[in-house]
Amino acid sequence: MQEEDGPLSDRIPTAGLDTLGIETRATVHWNLVTARLVELAVARGEGKLSADGPLVVETGQHTGRSAQDKFTVRDAETENTVWWGKSNKPMDPAHFAALKADFLAALREKGDLFVQDLFGGSQPDHRVRVRVVNELAWHNLFIRTMLVRPDEADLKGFAPDYTIIDLPSFRADPARHGCRGETVIAVNLTEKLILIGGTKYAGEMKKSVFGILNYLLPTSGVMPMHCSANMGDDGRTAVFFGLSGTGKTTLSADPKRTLIGDDEHGWSDDAVFNFEGGCYAKMIRLSADAEPEIFATTKRFGTVLENVVMDDVTRQLDLDDNSLAENSRGAYPIDFIPNTSERNMGGTPRNIVMLTADAYGILPPIAKLTPDQAMYHFLSGYTARVAGTEIGVTEPDATFSTCFGAPFMPRHPSVYGNLLKERIARGGVDCWLVNTGWTGGKYGTGHRMPIKATRALLDAALDGSLNDAEFRTDPNFGFKVPVSVPGVDTAILDPRETWSDKAAYDATAAKLVDLFNENFAQFAEHVDQGVREAAPRAPATAA
């Protein structure tokens, strides 16, 4: 994964764009390295350099994924393999054909195109070759940063398995293309082609590769995971599942452990391997004290900062300013974080941690799960976001995203759930549910779980000492909760005792139990009796 230029011809593969049916008059920039892409992005007015070196860009109206504008072509390949529904919306092959024709026509008229040949997946036996075609230099830099960069010797003979074409300037036509509006993400698994148009949010590209691997790997018995991962000195891995905002990136960047990756991984027979070669962290209100390793990347050349506010005169960053986006992000090579795995891989897991930010203030800061309970909570994919930041808004909003990543899971959730349960049983893995959300009351009354307490509890879980603690059984959810842990305030371990109004806790707990059960009804017929019995019990009762 070299950063040096080398002879330009060595970076141009034998299999060019014409092998993909792409004809263009554009100047094609093949596999440019970071410095050259930064130079071009600045020269083309796509971004600006901050005082400390990162490239700062804005994504316009799209500051996050356009989940409602993503479609998968429904054909003979996908008819019975894709889980059609809210997360996987179908597109007719004829509409995709029209969209592809219009994309190819748009490519013919471009002045410059930027192409990167990359790997999705760090374990050679389970990776996919991806070619990404961009009209923006900074987009090309982003995807080069986020995916696994081939060695120089691999580029000349590179032939892609899948191709992504990303044209933010393209405007889709719902009548002609069978989509919802001018923005479209269209996935054709038969043609192995993904078309992204009408959005400058670069994360669409990385998640498209994640979707490809989530479709392919289960057929080989490999478990794809929306998770972060790190490794102890013993070589055993800890996996952290969680939705956005629950702490995947923060908690995996632990100076005492080796980082494997912060977002997407596969679990094969002999390894946990990162799908990516970079990290994509939230920047809003980033703290040098709480997250020093990630904060340091905001002062490194090669980092790409999206929608981070910068002073036009001093080029100093204001990470607390959310006027451009609450979802401000930073993309940086994984080796910007100290103590990272050289191969982006670690051993098979010893611990699985499922992170939730429970804004209802009901779940304990940590609980031990049986394999059946682990599958139940994996399929549930629960977190709770605050309803808003307006004065007087205090009611949380429950979010259930199956497998902690429903928008990226093409197959039925039971495929991933059964793979997880099988691998947990085979490896004797300890499973934990960790609440990084609220304690002492729900959002608006209580306060956020102290990160020092969360880290102390995780340390005890990962070093094995927590297994020797005394546990109680939670009356609502049935999992085991430690009664005391050295270095952690005992009061925080029993959520009900942190509430001044115990009746309010019981009523809120009963509501949350009902929300879990209502959501899980869709999976009940696809799991065995043990998993069904892992559901919480209603009505909730006090301990």
Side-chain angles (χ1 to χ4, degrees):
M1 302 179 189
Q2 301 177 17
E3 283 294 321
E4 294 78 26
D5 268 322
L8 184 60
S9 60
D10 289 346
R11 305 184 70 84
I12 302 176
T14 304
L17 293 182
D18 56 327
T19 63
L20 304 172
I22 298 174
E23 298 177 0
T24 180
R25 65 186 67 180
T27 299
V28 180
H29 304 274
W30 284 97
N31 294 309
L32 297 186
V33 297
T34 297
R36 295 187 67 186
L37 287 168
V38 170
E39 289 172 354
L40 284 166
V42 172
R44 288 160 53 90
E46 297 174 7
K48 300 175 181 179
L49 286 180
S50 75
D52 296 308
L55 179 68
V56 181
V57 298
E58 296 181 15
T59 63
Q61 64 173 330
H62 295 280
T63 59
R65 290 183 303 102
S66 300
Q68 298 304 311
D69 297 307
K70 178 188 171 187
F71 300 87
T72 301
V73 176
R74 191 168 190 163
D75 57 16
E77 163 71 25
T78 59
E79 177 65 39
N80 298 313
T81 55
V82 168
W83 184 44
W84 301 108
K86 182 173 66 173
S87 296
N88 296 300
K89 297 184 291 297
M91 174 177 279
D92 185 270
H95 283 136
F96 183 86
L99 183 66
K100 178 182 176 182
D102 291 346
F103 259 72
L104 294 179
L107 287 174
R108 284 195 289 270
E109 304 305 317
K110 296 298 176 186
D112 291 278
L113 290 174
F114 303 88
V115 185
Q116 287 288 330
D117 291 326
L118 301 158
F119 294 131
S122 298
Q123 191 168 23
D125 291 343
H126 303 297
R127 68 190 182 194
V128 64
R129 297 184 298 272
V130 181
R131 175 165 291 167
V132 185
V133 181
N134 300 113
E135 64 176 325
L136 295 178
W138 86 259
H139 268 196
N140 207 234
L141 172 60
F142 172 91
I143 201 64
R144 169 182 166 75
T145 302
M146 290 310 305
L147 293 187
V148 178
R149 295 169 289 282
D151 291 328
E152 196 88 14
D154 293 326
L155 289 175
K156 190 68 175 177
F158 193 97
D161 300 314
Y162 287 80
T163 300
I164 298 172
I165 304 174
D166 190 341
L167 302 178
S169 65
F170 186 89
R171 296 292 177 265
D173 178 352
R176 176 170 166 77
H177 302 136
C179 51
R180 196 176 68 116
E182 292 186 337
T183 300
V184 64
I185 301 96
V187 180
N188 192 318
L189 292 167
T190 300
E191 296 189 25
K192 300 182 177 181
L193 177 63
I194 298 173
L195 305 175
I196 302 171
T199 172
K200 287 174 68 177
Y201 182 67
E204 297 288 6
M205 292 183 286
K206 112 185 189 79
K207 288 306 184 187
S208 293
V209 177
F210 188 37
I212 292 169
L213 289 164
N214 284 333
Y215 183 75
L216 296 176
L217 292 181
T219 61
S220 303
V222 177
M223 173 70 187
M225 303 177 291
H226 186 213
C227 69
S228 59
N230 63 25
M231 180 172 53
D233 293 337
D234 59 359
R236 297 299 296 270
T237 297
V239 166
F240 301 80
F241 289 105
L243 299 174
S244 178
T246 57
K248 287 199 315 299
T249 299
T250 298
L251 294 172
S252 59
D254 183 339
K256 301 183 297 298
R257 297 173 63 83
T258 300
L259 179 67
I260 301 170
D262 80 323
D263 196 37
E264 302 169 3
H265 295 81
W267 181 355
S268 66
D269 288 342
D270 55 359
V272 167
F273 62 97
N274 196 349
F275 288 169
E276 302 181 310
C279 299
Y280 194 37
K282 283 195 170 186
M283 292 287 122
I284 193 68
R285 291 177 287 277
L286 189 67
S287 164
D289 294 329
E291 301 170 88
E293 293 85 7
I294 299 172
F295 185 85
T297 70
T298 68
K299 300 181 179 298
R300 293 282 300 270
F301 179 84
T303 293
V304 181
L305 297 175
E306 293 178 341
N307 302 314
V308 171
V309 175
M310 180 175 68
D311 187 282
D312 279 339
V313 177
T314 67
R315 293 294 196 264
Q316 295 292 333
L317 305 175
D318 185 352
L319 299 177
D320 294 327
D321 190 334
N322 67 349
S323 59
L324 291 177
E326 183 69 22
N327 188 39
S328 59
R329 292 270 182 168
Y332 48 86
I334 190 171
D335 59 16
F336 279 15
I337 300 294
N339 198 32
T340 55
S341 167
E342 290 184 6
R343 299 191 306 141
N344 278 1
M345 290 194 287
T348 54
R350 182 69 183 86
N351 289 276
I352 287 176
V353 179
M354 298 184 188
L355 300 169
T356 178
D358 176 26
Y360 289 96
I362 298 302
L363 296 179
I366 196 166
K368 188 170 186 181
L369 307 176
T370 67
D372 284 330
Q373 289 170 338
M375 184 171 175
Y376 179 90
H377 284 277
F378 178 70
L379 290 175
S380 297
Y382 166 72
T383 195
R385 299 188 177 97
V386 297
T389 56
E390 299 86 358
I391 294 174
V393 176
T394 59
E395 188 63 27
D397 176 33
T399 299
F400 294 93
S401 183
T402 181
C403 307
F404 293 97
F408 325 118
M409 304 293 178
R411 298 182 184 272
H412 192 276
S414 62
V415 171
Y416 309 105
N418 285 322
L419 263 174
L420 181 68
K421 186 178 178 183
E422 173 191 332
R423 291 201 168 275
I424 289 172
R426 189 190 308 174
V429 181
D430 288 330
C431 300
W432 309 91
L433 183 70
V434 170
N435 175 21
T436 61
W438 271 253
T439 183
K442 61 185 178 181
Y443 169 75
T445 302
H447 55 86
R448 197 72 189 258
M449 197 73 68
I451 191 168
K452 288 185 177 180
T454 300
R455 287 195 182 278
L457 290 167
L458 278 174
D459 286 347
L462 300 187
D463 69 21
S465 62
L466 193 54
N467 285 317
D468 298 325
E470 178 187 353
F471 288 85
R472 66 178 178 85
T473 299
D474 185 272
N476 301 308
F477 286 84
F479 40 50
K480 300 295 185 182
V481 181
V483 174
S484 65
V485 178
V488 177
D489 181 5
T490 300
I492 206 173
L493 295 172
D494 187 346
R496 189 172 189 269
E497 292 305 309
T498 68
W499 284 52
S500 58
D501 186 340
K502 303 297 190 287
Y505 173 88
D506 292 340
T508 306
K511 176 181 178 179
L512 184 59
V513 165
D514 288 343
L515 290 172
F516 264 88
N517 287 322
E518 289 167 9
N519 173 73
F520 201 79
Q522 62 184 310
F523 306 123
E525 65 180 275
H526 300 285
V527 300
D528 60 31
Q529 185 63 22
V531 178
R532 289 194 289 271
E533 290 177 353
R537 301 296 182 213
T541 56

